[in-house]
């Protein structure tokens, strides 16, 4: 963490203010994950000729709203114009889609590409920009991740970003189905778009 810094762009807040605000929203472990995602997003941005500053910031803030309490989420979904059907799915999927509201409101970030990448980072989507893919994949393969298949995911993603998206969706779907978890329709649509081999 000591040498972690962010570009002074995309928000009227200073980078120190963004880092402090993010830290106040989560436990130390989640904060380290966000730094790991930021650094991994920079690596993927370089490999895919994308703006490293934008990747660094979006990776860092992607889970900004992850630990907001359920009642606040429910209220935000109801009051800020989100699809009420979100309430029928696990809270795990809220922090990207609904988290985008907190990022605009608290961190004053309005760049549409950044907002969309945060929205899509948990479920993926049929259409994904380069930044969407970078954040989605960096979230899965950052150095703190440790699950069976993560080494293969890293190999695939560093060789080919789209293949990394497909690998992640196949792995996540298999994991959720093994638990008989309820699948958000966008996750399924994203799987069909990026993971199917023919
Ligand atoms: P994290 O925020 O860094 O932990 O990572 P993610 O934002 O990618 O995902 C959070 C959790 O949401 C993961 O455990 C995924 O398996 C889960 N998830 C992704 N899509 C769905 C879905 O459609 N339904 C459910 N129930 N969970 C999902
Ligand atoms: Fe997340
Ligand atoms: Fe994450």
């Amino acid at each position: 963490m000591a040498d972690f810094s962010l570009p002074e762009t995309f928000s009227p807040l200073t980078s120190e203010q963004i880092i402090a605000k993010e830290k106040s929203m989560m436990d130390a472990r989640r904060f380290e994950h966000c730094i790991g995602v930021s650094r991994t997003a920079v690596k993927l941005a370089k490999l895919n000729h994308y703006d490293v500053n934008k990747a660094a910031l979006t990776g860092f803030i992607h889970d900004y709203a992850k630990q907001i309490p359920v009642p606040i989420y429910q209220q935000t979904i109801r009051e800020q114009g989100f699809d009420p059907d979100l309430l029928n799915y696990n809270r795990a999927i809220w922090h990207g889609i609904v988290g985008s509201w907190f990022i605009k409101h608290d961190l004053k970030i309005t760049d549409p590409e950044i907002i969309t990448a945060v929205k899509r980072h948990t479920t993926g989507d049929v259409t994904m920009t380069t930044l969407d893919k970078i954040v989605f994949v960096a979230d899965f393969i950052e150095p703190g991740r440790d699950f069976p298949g993560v080494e293969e995911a890293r190999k695939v993603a560093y060789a080919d970003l789209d293949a990394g998206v497909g690998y992640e969706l196949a792995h996540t779907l298999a994991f959720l189905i093994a638990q008989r978890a309820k699948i958000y329709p966008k996750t399924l649509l994203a799987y069909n778009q990026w993971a199917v081999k023919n």
Side-chain angles (χ1 to χ4, degrees):
M1 157 59 193
D3 62 344
F4 185 73
S5 64
L6 281 174
E8 297 286 350
T9 43
F10 310 110
S11 168
L13 275 65
T14 65
S15 62
E16 285 77 17
Q17 284 173 317
I18 291 182
I19 292 169
K21 191 106 189 70
E22 170 123 336
K23 201 168 193 174
S24 75
M25 293 292 284
M26 58 188 67
D27 59 37
R29 201 186 137 118
R30 178 64 46 183
F31 187 73
E32 286 303 316
H33 164 69
C34 291
I35 291 175
V37 175
S38 178
R39 290 186 169 137
T40 305
V42 166
K43 274 202 214 176
L44 288 168
K46 286 181 184 156
L47 285 169
N48 292 279
H49 315 290
Y50 189 80
D51 179 341
V52 291
N53 288 334
K54 213 164 178 176
L57 177 64
T58 315
F60 181 65
I61 55 137
H62 79 288
D63 275 345
Y64 174 78
K66 177 91 178 179
Q67 295 178 345
I68 284 176
V70 168
I72 295 180
Y73 265 119
Q74 291 167 327
Q75 187 186 356
T76 308
I77 291 169
R78 289 196 193 96
E79 293 179 2
Q80 302 299 334
F82 287 96
D83 180 357
D85 188 43
L86 281 167
L87 296 166
N88 299 318
Y89 291 88
N90 192 286
R91 71 152 294 163
I93 66 156
W94 298 343
H95 72 283
I97 300 165
V98 186
S100 65
W101 186 86
F102 293 97
I103 283 157
K104 281 189 235 173
H105 185 265
D106 297 2
L107 302 180
K108 316 290 178 210
I109 294 169
T110 55
D111 181 281
E113 248 185 352
I114 297 179
I115 295 298
T116 303
V118 171
K119 276 189 188 163
R120 292 175 173 162
H121 92 262
T122 301
T123 61
D125 208 331
V126 174
T127 302
M128 292 178 81
T129 67
T130 302
L131 184 62
D132 296 344
K133 292 172 190 170
I134 286 172
V135 175
F136 186 73
V137 166
D139 191 15
F140 197 60
I141 65 169
E142 62 98 358
R145 293 289 197 202
D146 182 17
F147 55 82
V150 71
E151 275 310 326
E152 180 66 11
R154 289 180 179 128
K155 208 171 97 192
V156 171
Y158 285 127
D160 178 341
L161 187 60
D162 283 10
V165 171
Y167 185 94
E168 176 173 344
L169 282 162
H171 188 282
T172 299
L173 252 292
F175 167 79
L176 291 169
I177 287 168
Q179 296 183 79
R180 297 279 188 103
K182 191 171 186 178
I183 311 290
Y184 189 61
K186 209 163 255 186
T187 310
L188 274 177
L189 293 172
Y191 168 86
N192 284 343
Q193 179 66 33
W194 299 103
V196 173
K197 284 196 169 169
N198 47 51

